[in-house]
Amino acid sequence: MEEKKPKFKPNPKLPRQALPVLNAEVRSTSAREVALGFSAEQVGIEAQRCLQCAKPTCVNACPLHIDIKSFIVRMVEGDYQGAHDVISEQSPFPGVCGRVCQHELFCEDACIVGKKWDPVAIGSLERFAADHARLRMKELTAEEPAHPTGKKVALVGSGPASLIAAYDLARKNYRVTVFEALHRLGGVMIYGIPNFRLPREILKEEIARLQHLGVEFVTDFIVGKTATVEDLFEEGYEAVFIGTGAGLPYMMGIPGENLIGVYTANEFLTRINLMEAFDPEADTPVLVGERTIVVGGGNSAMDAARWAKRMGSETIVLYRRGREELKARLEEIEHAEEEGVVFHFLAAPVALYGDENGFVQEVECIRMELGEPDDSGRRSPVPVPGSEFRIKAQTVVAAIGQAPNPTLQKATPELKTKRGKIVIDEWGATSMAGVFAGGDVVRGGSTVILAMKDGRAAAAAIDRALNPQVEVAAEEVTQ
Ligand code: FAD
C-alpha cells in the first residue's frame, strides 16, 4: 500500500486514552462486552500520539508485521476504512486481535513513545478500525465467494494458527479445507474466551472473510478418528497443517479432585461458552455455589473467575505466585478486580474436602514464598511448612495450564513429539513428509498472535513445498 506522509504534528505528550468500559455493576450480572471501544474523538487524540518513526519498531515487534505506522496515519485523517485495508494486508482478524491480542507484550512494548510516556494504544486503534469496517465487510462477504483452483491443502483445527494459514493459502489460490473437531469454529477463541471479551458475531464475521475467499470448513470432524492424516493425503490433499492446539487440561493432582463441583477451566469454560451452561434453564447447566475458588493466574483463570462472578458466586483466585507474576492480559486482571474477583496470592491448594454426598466443601491451601527464578524466568513458589489453612468453597475450578490435544498424535505415530508437543523444524515442517504444524500444539499454551505467526510461517513453507519456485522471506520463518 502506498506510503502516506503524515500531515499532522505528532504529540506524544497527549494523555493515552483510557478504553471506555461497561460499568462494573452492570457487567457483574451480564455477558455483554466489557470494553466498549474508543470514540472517534479519542481515536483522533490517540492516533496523534504516534511519532510516525522512520524505522517503526512496533511493526517489527508485531508477529504479523502489520504496518502500524501506515494504519495510524490514516486514523488521524479519519480514513478508518483505509486503516482497515492496511491491516487487512497482513491480517483478516483486526476485530479479534484488537480485543484479545496481548499488545503490551508486542507492538505496544516496542512503541518508542512508551520509553518516556505511555505507549500508543495500538490495540484499541486497531479495534476501532475493525469495528468501523464491519458494515462494508458484511456487504463484501455476502457477495459470491471465490472459487480457488489450485492444489488442495488440509488444515486441522480451526484456531488462529489454522485460520491465518487458510487466509494466506486461499489468497494464493490454494483449495483449502479446515477440519474442526467441534461443532463451532474458532478454537479457543470460541470455546475458551468469553463473549464478554470477544463477541461471537465479531469472530463469525471475520471467519466469514475466509469463507468468502473460498475456504471450506468441515465441523464435527476429528482427524485421528473420523479420518487419519494418511486418509487426507489419499483424498488428494497435498499438504496438511496441524493446528490442533493445547486443549488437554493439567490436573492439580491433589486429594479430592474428583469431588462434585470441581472442574477444569477447560470444561467449565467450554460448557459455558459453547453450551450456554451459565443459564440455569440450559440442558446441561453449570451450577456454581455460594463461593468459587479458581486456581491459577493465566487468561483461563481470569475468564473462569469472571464467569463465576457473573453467575452470582463470590469468587476467589488462588495463585501460587504474586500479582507481578500473573500471566493473564493486564486488562483482564484489572477488569476482574473491578468486578469484585478477590485474589489470594502466594497460596496453593493441597487437598479438597467434600460432604457425605461427594460435593466439594473446603479447600486446604498452603502459603508460598518466592524462591529462585525457574525455567520461565519467574521466581518459583516454595511452600512454607506448617502454613496450611482452609477456605470454604462449593465450586473449584483448576486453571493451571493445558497440554496439546493428543488424539491426532496417537493416531499418527510417525509424527515426532516431545512431551506431547509436535516437533517442527525452522520451516514448520514435522517429521512426516508434507505435514506442517504450529500454534499451541507445538508451543504449549501460548497466545493468539504467536499461533497466527506460526500459521503464517507454515503457509509460506507449504507454498514453497508445493511450488518450489516460490521464495520465502526470512521473516516468514518460525525461529
Ligand atoms: P486452538 O485455538 O486451541 O484451536 C485448536 C482447534 O483444533 C480447536 O478448535 C480444537 O477443537 C481443534 N482440534 C483439536 N484436535 C483436533 C483434531 N484431532 N481434529 C480436528 N480438530 C481438532 N491468548 C491471547 O493472545 N489473548 C487472550 O486473551 C487469550 N485468552 C485465552 C483464554 C483461554 C480460556 C485460553 C484457554 C487461552 C487463551 N489464550 C489467549 C491463548 C490462545 O487462545 C491460544 O494460544 C490460541 O488459541 C492457540 O491457537 P491454536 O490455533 O494453536 O489452537
Side-chain angles (χ1 to χ4, degrees), residues 160-173:
S162 291
L163 291 179
I164 197 119
Y167 184 64
D168 287 359
L169 289 166
R171 287 202 298 173
K172 289 183 175 149
N173 197 34

Side-chain angles (χ1 to χ4, degrees), residues 96 99-103 105-106 155-163 178-194 197 218 220-227 241-247 265-266 269 273 298-304 328-329 332 402 404-409 438-452 454:
V96 167
R99 286 171 168 80
V100 303
C101 181
Q102 289 187 280
H103 297 95
L105 301 183
F106 300 99
L155 310 180
V156 187
S158 67
S162 291
L163 291 179
V178 176
F179 294 96
E180 167 56 51
L182 297 173
H183 62 291
R184 302 273 296 275
L185 301 172
V188 170
M189 299 186 296
I190 187 89
Y191 79 74
I193 300 181
R197 286 214 284 134
V218 180
D220 299 307
F221 193 108
I222 305 176
V223 177
K225 281 219 158 82
T226 321
F241 172 75
I242 303 171
T244 45
N266 190 288
L269 290 169
N273 292 329
N299 285 313
S300 303
M302 295 310 120
D303 288 338
R329 292 178 77 226
E332 312 317 329
Q402 298 99 248
N405 289 314
T407 313
L408 188 148
Q409 291 88 308
D440 281 7
V441 74
V442 166
R443 293 175 182 268
S446 180
T447 60
V448 166
I449 199 77
L450 289 177
M452 288 188 183
D454 292 354

